[in-house]
Amino acid sequence: MSEKLQKVLARAGHGSRRELESLIKAGRVSVNGQVAKLGERLEDESAVIRIDGHTVSAKAQEEVVCRVLAYYKPEGELCTRHDPEGRRTVFDRLPKIRGSRWISVGRLDANTSGLLLFTTDGELANRLMHPSRQVEREYLVRVFGEVNEQKVRNLVSGVELEDGMARFEDVVYAGGEGMNHTFYVAINEGRNREVRRLWESQDTTVSRLKRVRYGDIYLDKKLPRGGWAELTLKEVNYLRTLVELKPESETMLDLNNNTSRKRERSRSQKIRRAVKRHEERVNTPSKGRSNQQRRNKKSAGEQGARAKNRR
């Protein structure tokens, strides 16, 4: 049976269905030399498909290995592929892959840290993000202001926001002193700034927000900020089963249940070194200045060598 073009391309890892629909609407996708139309179905598996003039693969579902990364997003990073102002994005530190690309499963605000999932399977990303799936997310949140039992009951029973009713599935107090309080909250949606807006509706301000769980995938305490880890086949299939997709039979992950502690430490150290190198590149002076310093140093060395030869 034929399938819609955006669905085929999403499954092959060329973006989420929403992103690909936007590309098709903009006339940036062609099939056999003809500009594609939204809703067009792919009838011929051997058709030549191009995005922005570049030929792309539309592999059959069974040929694509689904990969998922768990990323520890630091505060300050943007959930976008490219930022015109040159600010850091969540894609900057991810490992490079051939023939596909990482697709973000939802977004986190610039001021929110914690667990963010990426996958090469656009269909998986689309289903996990869809509101009908009701995938539970858990956050560690620190709020400033007076919090009493009535306010907590309001948050659990439901609050009318500008875009409709919203509520927490659960609110658990985790401590605090004075006007600062820390809670764990669970929510089944991913609307824009929903956790912050819910607390603001009760005259409190969120001073820190961190996602610690997506479904049954938890943020690994060993993972450094800016670090990533590829999910195991069992974890990938948990997510696929959650949204009614067929389980995978293989994984690209070069680890198994018998991996030694030494190898796990080595892998963790590699991630930490990669994060450190990225920080150093971002914080080093501009290339123009460093190149000029190297030229000055080289010139001084050459002058010293000529003077020595004359003597």
Side-chain angles (χ1 to χ4, degrees), residues 3-6 31 34-42:
E3 292 183 289
K4 287 186 178 180
L5 180 59
Q6 64 265 29
V31 179
Q34 300 295 317
V35 176
K37 297 180 180 179
L38 188 63
E40 180 175 334
R41 304 183 80 87
L42 189 64

Side-chain angles (χ1 to χ4, degrees), residues 7-15 57-59 64 99-101 120-122:
K7 185 175 180 180
V8 175
L9 292 176
R11 190 173 59 236
H14 299 296
S57 171
K59 297 178 182 177
V64 179
S100 187
R101 65 175 182 170
T120 55
D121 189 331

Side-chain angles (χ1 to χ4, degrees), residues 15 24 60 86 132 146 156 178 186 232 250 255 259 267 299:
I24 294 172
S132 65
E146 182 183 351
V156 174
T232 63
E250 58 181 338
L255 293 172
T259 303
R267 177 168 167 268
S299 177

Side-chain angles (χ1 to χ4, degrees), residues 112-174:
T112 301
S113 65
L115 178 63
L116 187 61
L117 298 181
F118 292 86
T119 179
T120 55
D121 189 331
E123 182 62 20
L124 175 63
N126 184 70
R127 294 195 185 192
L128 286 171
M129 288 186 285
H130 201 279
S132 65
R133 297 294 173 173
Q134 296 282 294
V135 181
E136 191 170 271
R137 294 92 156 158
E138 185 177 355
Y139 294 82
L140 175 66
V141 54
R142 185 174 65 200
V143 299
F144 178 80
E146 182 183 351
V147 181
N148 53 40
E149 290 185 10
Q150 183 57 51
K151 289 184 177 182
V152 173
R153 281 197 291 270
N154 293 341
L155 293 170
V156 174
S157 61
V159 174
E160 183 71 37
L161 301 178
E162 58 267 28
D163 53 355
M165 289 293 294
R167 60 183 288 269
F168 290 133
E169 295 298 311
D170 196 14
V171 178
V172 178
Y173 186 60

